[in-house]
Amino acid sequence: QSSVLHKFKEILFSTMSSEELLNSLDSFSAREDDVFLVSYPKSGTHWIAKVIENIPNAEITLTSPIELGDISKFEELKMYRKRRVIPTHLNYSMLPVDIKQKQCKIIYIIRNPKDTAVSLFHYYRDNPNLPGVETWAAFLELFLKGNVVYGSWFDHVLSWESHRNDKNILFIFYEEMKKDLSKSIKKITTFLGINVSDGEINQISWKSSFREMKNNAAKENCDPNKTICALTSNKNLVFRKGAVGDWINYFTSKQKRVFDELFTEKMKHSELARHFEDYS
Ligand code: A3P
């Protein structure tokens, strides 16, 4: 493997997530009002984070990912006084036990896996915190084997899907956000118990549009305290195309067939997977 990634419990992590921190996740003490923003990488994490940040009077602090950093992480997270919104790409089994016990609110964002794979491919190419990759074909092979950062997309989604009926978990689809952002914003604010007017929803929609976010990223300096994805604090690496269905420009018909076979096998009992029938 490369020096930017290391394996922990069979899953690849960035070396910016220290082994000590990963080993001590279960010593994290959650607060009842914490909100966790969970995703497999490249599923729209920054987008939802922006929506939440723009809710008027939400009184929240968006922190950096729980798994990013070293053992001093939990001390740092204790300093925040406001309600914490904490991003993470952890799978369900690695999520700190106190979050489960306190039944903290969790938003899980999910995106169709072909677009997710293409997006992650570009991240591998552009992000110095990820290994280099020669070709799309070589990357796709790694993706299908789960030999990429945060492991297999399939296993990640399945680990969360087994909790899809938990009242404290809200599932949001990237494709639904593209189709009707106001509706997704309404779902999120209702779930968080915050009242917003229609005018405020329009404001949030506008501020979290792809173009607006991309333009702002170009203007901002990268601030390590404002990191949302544990793989970079450089937001310029995040806003690439922001489209549904871009996978068609990458997959050969053979690659599509191989992908679909694995998808069908892995996701045969998955209800979440049915949302993606329109996007394959
Ligand atoms: P692409 O690489 O396909 O463009 P994450 O935030 O989880 O890292 O996900 C990044 C992906 O979400 C990127 O996908 C990025 O362009 C897309 N994205 C971010 N903000 C978006 C927005 N406001 N609208 C649509 N897509 C957005």
Side-chain angles (χ1 to χ4, degrees), residues 111-140:
R111 183 182 193 184
N112 83 77
K114 292 198 185 84
D115 284 339
T116 306
V118 168
S119 183
L120 190 57
F121 167 61
H122 286 280
Y123 215 29
Y124 262 65
R125 296 206 121 175
D126 303 338
N127 186 344
N129 298 321
L130 287 170
V133 54
E134 286 289 323
T135 60
W136 158 246
F139 176 79
L140 183 60

Side-chain angles (χ1 to χ4, degrees), residues 134-176:
E134 286 289 323
T135 60
W136 158 246
F139 176 79
L140 183 60
E141 226 172 274
L142 295 177
F143 184 87
L144 291 175
K145 286 188 188 132
N147 229 338
V148 288
V149 69
Y150 292 102
S152 149
W153 178 90
F154 304 94
D155 295 344
H156 200 278
V157 169
L158 290 171
S159 80
W160 282 96
E161 168 148 34
S162 17
H163 298 273
R164 84 174 171 276
N165 295 321
D166 293 9
K167 295 262 178 307
N168 58 319
I169 310 182
L170 175 69
F171 288 87
I172 293 280
F173 292 86
Y174 179 94
E175 292 76 15
E176 281 181 5

Side-chain angles (χ1 to χ4, degrees), residues 42-47 111 119 174 208 210 238 240-242:
K42 313 319 287 172
S43 304
T45 331
H46 290 81
W47 195 3
R111 183 182 193 184
S119 183
Y174 179 94
S208 51
F210 181 76
V238 174
R240 187 187 60 93
K241 201 160 183 185

Side-chain angles (χ1 to χ4, degrees), residues 21 29 32 37 41 47 51 57 60 70 74 82 89 108 129 165 167 203 206 239 245 269:
L21 178 63
S29 21
E32 306 264 344
L37 179 51
W47 195 3
V51 164
N57 311 316
I60 53 110
D70 59 27
F74 301 151
K82 288 189 197 159
H89 292 315
Y108 186 77
N129 298 321
N165 295 321
K167 295 262 178 307
Q203 273 285 324
W206 184 77
F239 306 98
H269 301 300

Side-chain angles (χ1 to χ4, degrees), residues 6-268:
H6 64 129
K7 256 197 178 155
F8 182 82
K9 294 190 182 163
E10 300 297 305
I11 291 178
L12 287 170
F13 285 89
S14 162
T15 46
M16 296 183 291
S17 294
S18 83
E19 193 180 340
E20 292 77 15
L21 178 63
L22 295 173
N23 245 320
S24 61
L25 283 170
D26 275 338
S27 69
F28 171 73
S29 21
R31 300 181 193 157
E32 306 264 344
D33 71 343
D34 281 339
V35 178
F36 292 84
L37 179 51
V38 188
S39 57
Y40 187 82
K42 313 319 287 172
S43 304
T45 331
H46 290 81
W47 195 3
I48 299 233
K50 183 54 96 191
V51 164
I52 297 177
E53 272 191 312
N54 279 316
I55 303 173
N57 311 316
E59 297 294 324
I60 53 110
T61 301
L62 184 63
T63 77
S64 62
I66 194 165
E67 75 275 22
L68 173 62
D70 59 27
I71 198 80
S72 65
K73 183 75 188 195
F74 301 151
E75 288 306 315
E76 174 199 318
L77 288 175
K78 275 185 201 157
M79 315 275 264
Y80 298 106
R81 301 193 171 275
K82 288 189 197 159
R83 185 181 195 182
R84 302 180 296 190
V85 176
I86 308 178
T88 181
H89 292 315
L90 293 175
N91 65 28
Y92 188 86
S93 72
M94 283 193 67
L95 193 78
V97 64
D98 199 32
I99 301 171
K100 299 169 186 169
Q101 259 152 17
K102 294 215 167 84
Q103 299 185 323
C104 299
K105 287 189 180 171
I106 295 171
I107 300 174
Y108 186 77
I109 166 109
I110 172 170
R111 183 182 193 184
N112 83 77
K114 292 198 185 84
D115 284 339
T116 306
V118 168
S119 183
L120 190 57
F121 167 61
H122 286 280
Y123 215 29
Y124 262 65
R125 296 206 121 175
D126 303 338
N127 186 344
N129 298 321
L130 287 170
V133 54
E134 286 289 323
T135 60
W136 158 246
F139 176 79
L140 183 60
E141 226 172 274
L142 295 177
F143 184 87
L144 291 175
K145 286 188 188 132
N147 229 338
V148 288
V149 69
Y150 292 102
S152 149
W153 178 90
F154 304 94
D155 295 344
H156 200 278
V157 169
L158 290 171
S159 80
W160 282 96
E161 168 148 34
S162 17
H163 298 273
R164 84 174 171 276
N165 295 321
D166 293 9
K167 295 262 178 307
N168 58 319
I169 310 182
L170 175 69
F171 288 87
I172 293 280
F173 292 86
Y174 179 94
E175 292 76 15
E176 281 181 5
M177 288 180 64
K178 285 291 288 190
K179 215 188 270 172
D180 190 344
L181 184 55
S182 300
K183 194 172 157 194
S184 298
I185 295 174
K186 189 94 200 119
K187 271 191 196 169
I188 293 166
T189 51
T190 305
F191 178 71
L192 296 178
I194 305 168
N195 272 328
V196 285
S197 67
D198 288 349
E200 286 168 337
I201 290 186
N202 285 339
Q203 273 285 324
I204 301 170
S205 287
W206 184 77
K207 287 185 189 157
S208 51
S209 69
F210 181 76
R211 189 200 287 205
E212 191 61 20
M213 287 180 68
K214 191 179 169 91
N215 286 342
N216 282 337
K219 283 184 248 154
E220 279 168 23
N221 297 322
C222 29
D223 177 350
N225 296 315
K226 296 221 162 124
T227 303
I228 291 166
C229 169
L231 305 171
T232 189
S233 50
N234 180 359
K235 299 228 170 51
N236 290 307
L237 299 175
V238 174
F239 306 98
R240 187 187 60 93
K241 201 160 183 185
V244 174
D246 189 36
W247 64 266
I248 208 114
N249 301 314
Y250 293 83
F251 282 71
T252 64
S253 52
K254 168 127 191 276
Q255 287 169 343
K256 177 181 179 328
R257 203 171 343 111
V258 171
F259 195 103
D260 288 344
E261 267 167 31
L262 184 68
F263 184 91
T264 308
E265 182 200 320
K266 282 272 206 179
M267 306 305 277
K268 56 175 177 273

